[in-house]
Amino acid sequence: MSSESPALSKPIPNDKLPPELGRKFYRLFQEAYDLFRRHRDEASVKDVAALLQEHFKEEVTAQPLLASAVSNDCLQWSLLEVVCKKTYGTCAETIQLLIETNPHALLWARPNFDGFIESATIHLLPGDGYGELYPWIVENYPWVFQHELCQEQRPHVQLLKAYGDNRCDLQTVRKFYELYPQGLREIDRSDLMVPKFPLQVIVGGWEEPDADLFIWMVEQYTEAVYHESVPGRTVLHDVCFAMGQKENDFELVNIKATPNMAKICRYLIAHHPRLIRKQVHGEGSLPIHHLANSCNRPLVQEMVILLLKAYPACISIQSYRWDPDLSRVPFIQQVFPHVLNEMAIEKEMLRLKKMSRDMRKAAAFSQNRSSGSSSSASNAHLFVSVAVVFCSWAYLRVSDILPARKEQLQDRIAHICRSMEGEDVPEEEYDDEDDWDEDDDDDMDDSDQYD
């Protein structure tokens, strides 16, 4: 179908309909409005919903004008809107019938009692249990999402919120954005202070987003990863905040320190390392600050170690008062020296491998150029001998000595992680007098050579 937006038809108050048609509208309206008021148990609702579908199909097919009418009371609802709002996801076929009859009704909006524009029915579908229809709508009526109203208030943001509230499944979200990929590039400005791409919206839901869906969304539009909802704050801050959040006295919290969220965090750290150094303007918070007070959680410990490796200098960065001083967090105090030493070993292994390759190339070049005097041949032979000795020594360190040291460090880190696992405790400040363990001081002194 055409993606061009046609001129919207205008709603017709039901008292402007012929009397008999107006009565039919009222009967259908009341049948949908009272569905859950009269029927409470699931079995009877399903039976009545099927009957409602038959009534609507019979009447609306015979009189399509019914799909263009609205109630003449203060609600001013169309049949599409009343079925959407009052049947709670049980009448998808009826919704589809009404849209097919008059898709314009999806975009009818009106001022509410405060004089502001209400969302149209297209915005309400996901929250009322009909998000599953979005792929079908965008496939058959793409102009709906290009309409001015939908450009001002992105309806697919409501789909993501429904997904975050467990009212919409993963497959629906994925299919919708496959059919409407430009939606991933559209910023939601409903909150003018915190504009967001879909990528930020999906992380902020009550339920955590599926990691594979998140990664797919990033791959479709990578720029969204670097969007700052407020200056300096990126989606990595949001992911770390979700993983580190604890229960408190002010709000209900869904703990998200899960393998799924850890997969998202690992992906962002590995593929978008620029995010690691981003500091929230006016606060100074790095992503790692959102994790620091939850280092009793194994997956949080893993993410903290990855972030320390990626940005060791973060330990000296001070953020605002409600974020912990990283250098005083007990877990980081103990693990950081070992992390530095492990990084130094990895750097040495890479350096020795490169030097060995260079020595072998230089030795081969020297042999090829030694066909002249005996002195040059002697020098070349000496250089080759030195290269062989060096490469043998480097191979021994890279293949045996350094891996053994690295394994010892990893065992120490693993021991620290296990020893600091435990139940969540309330947020707390770390005392200025907290000192580093003596052993860790020694480790830090040893690691200074790698700075």
Side-chain angles (χ1 to χ4, degrees):
M1 293 191 178
S2 173
S3 61
E4 295 183 3
S5 178
L8 289 185
S9 64
K10 294 183 179 180
I12 304 171
N14 73 304
D15 59 354
K16 301 297 183 182
L17 297 173
E20 180 60 28
L21 199 57
R23 286 190 288 271
K24 287 183 178 180
F25 173 88
Y26 181 77
R27 285 196 297 270
L28 292 174
F29 189 98
Q30 287 300 127
E31 186 176 1
Y33 195 95
D34 293 338
L35 178 64
F36 271 79
R37 292 173 61 185
R38 295 181 178 179
H39 307 278
R40 295 293 182 179
D41 62 284
E42 184 177 351
S44 64
V45 165
K46 287 184 177 180
D47 292 339
V48 176
L51 188 60
L52 181 145
Q53 162 67 17
E54 292 180 12
H55 292 166
F56 268 73
K57 185 175 182 179
E58 179 182 347
E59 298 292 355
V60 174
T61 302
Q63 296 289 345
L65 195 60
L66 290 168
S68 296
V70 296
S71 60
N72 62 347
D73 54 17
C74 61
L75 294 177
Q76 298 182 0
W77 287 359
S78 65
L79 290 180
L80 176 62
E81 190 164 357
V82 70
V83 174
C84 173
K85 287 185 174 180
K86 292 298 180 178
T87 60
Y88 306 105
T90 61
C91 296
E93 291 184 11
T94 306
I95 293 279
Q96 191 167 338
L97 168 70
L98 291 168
I99 293 173
E100 288 173 335
T101 306
N102 181 18
H104 303 274
L106 285 167
L107 295 169
W108 287 344
R110 61 194 173 281
N112 62 15
F113 296 114
D114 296 327
F116 296 101
I117 297 297
E118 267 193 350
S119 298
T121 306
I122 185 65
H123 299 95
L124 305 177
L125 289 171
D128 288 322
Y130 294 107
E132 65 192 71
L133 293 175
Y134 261 37
W136 173 79
I137 294 172
V138 77
E139 191 170 19
N140 290 277
Y141 309 100
W143 51 266
V144 169
F145 291 91
Q146 298 298 327
H147 190 270
E148 180 181 359
L149 180 66
C150 292
Q151 293 299 300
E152 293 176 356
Q153 300 182 58
R154 311 291 187 184
H156 53 91
V157 170
Q158 303 306 317
L159 182 70
L160 295 176
K161 290 180 178 179
Y163 170 70
D165 291 337
N166 208 21
R167 296 183 181 182
C168 176
D169 61 38
L170 164 67
Q171 290 73 24
T172 297
V173 175
R174 173 71 179 259
K175 185 176 181 181
F176 174 80
Y177 284 110
E178 287 176 345
L179 294 168
Y180 188 66
Q182 62 265 41
L184 295 171
R185 300 169 177 263
E186 295 178 350
I187 295 181
D188 171 38
R189 301 187 186 278
S190 56
D191 184 346
L192 295 177
M193 300 298 293
V194 189
K196 297 179 180 180
F197 281 104
L199 198 65
Q200 283 80 34
V201 175
I202 201 172
V203 172
W206 173 257
E207 298 291 340
E208 62 190 61
D210 176 77
D212 292 333
L213 173 63
F214 179 92
I215 293 170
W216 177 82
M217 291 173 70
V218 173
E219 291 172 346
Q220 302 311 301
Y221 184 55
T222 304
E223 288 303 312
V225 167
Y226 299 101
H227 172 70
E228 298 177 2
S229 52
V230 297
R233 186 177 184 88
T234 70
V235 69
L236 182 57
H237 285 87
D238 297 335
V239 171
C240 290
F241 178 81
M243 289 193 68
Q245 196 173 20
K246 295 182 178 181
E247 292 183 355
N248 56 67
D249 296 332
F250 307 105
E251 60 182 341
L252 190 63
V253 173
N254 186 15
I255 304 300
K256 296 180 181 177
T258 64
N260 180 72
M261 289 297 283
K263 182 177 180 179
I264 293 174
C265 198
R266 285 189 211 100
Y267 171 82
L268 292 174
I269 293 170
H271 295 273
H272 302 281
R274 277 195 290 157
L275 303 179
I276 296 167
R277 298 168 180 251
K278 288 287 186 178
Q279 291 181 262
V280 180
H281 181 70
E283 298 178 9
S285 299
L286 292 163
I288 193 173
H289 284 106
H290 294 315
L291 297 170
N293 281 343
S294 298
C295 289
N296 57 298
R297 301 172 180 174
L299 288 172
V300 170
Q301 293 173 346
E302 179 190 345
M303 298 307 109
V304 167
I305 290 171
L306 289 176
L307 290 167
L308 288 172
K309 286 183 176 181
Y311 187 27
C314 71
I315 198 167
S316 62
I317 291 180
Q318 298 293 324
S319 66
Y320 204 54
R321 60 185 179 184
W322 53 68
D323 285 324
D325 182 343
L326 297 179
S327 66
R328 291 162 52 205
V329 175
F331 175 77
I332 295 177
Q333 284 181 337
Q334 294 190 39
V335 82
F336 186 57
H338 302 308
V339 168
L340 289 180
N341 286 329
E342 184 182 359
M343 291 173 62
I345 288 174
E346 291 171 349
K347 288 179 181 178
E348 183 178 352
M349 292 172 71
L350 290 174
R351 185 168 61 250
L352 289 176
K353 288 178 181 178
K354 182 179 184 302
M355 291 175 67
S356 294
R357 288 194 300 269
D358 292 343
M359 288 289 282
R360 284 193 292 269
K361 290 179 182 178
F365 180 78
S366 177
Q367 281 185 315
N368 293 335
R369 296 292 297 271
S370 63
S371 56
S373 65
S374 59
S375 62
S376 63
S378 176
N379 289 337
H381 180 73
L382 177 61
F383 183 79
V384 170
S385 299
V386 170
V388 169
V389 172
F390 175 83
C391 290
S392 298
W393 171 80
Y395 177 79
L396 180 63
R397 285 188 66 79
V398 169
S399 63
D400 189 8
I401 297 173
L402 292 177
R405 290 183 183 176
K406 182 177 178 180
E407 185 176 355
Q408 289 175 350
L409 286 171
Q410 290 175 336
D411 288 342
R412 292 180 191 174
I413 292 173
H415 174 73
I416 293 170
C417 290
R418 288 192 299 270
S419 68
M420 302 202 76
E421 288 180 20
E423 298 297 323
D424 285 346
V425 294
E427 301 288 352
E428 59 184 9
E429 294 288 338
Y430 299 105
D431 296 333
D432 289 331
E433 292 79 15
D434 286 348
D435 293 323
W436 295 47
D437 291 343
E438 184 176 347
D439 292 341
D440 292 330
D441 283 335
D442 294 338
D443 287 332
M444 181 61 85
D445 292 339
D446 292 341
S447 67
D448 287 343
Q449 60 183 306
Y450 303 118
D451 289 344

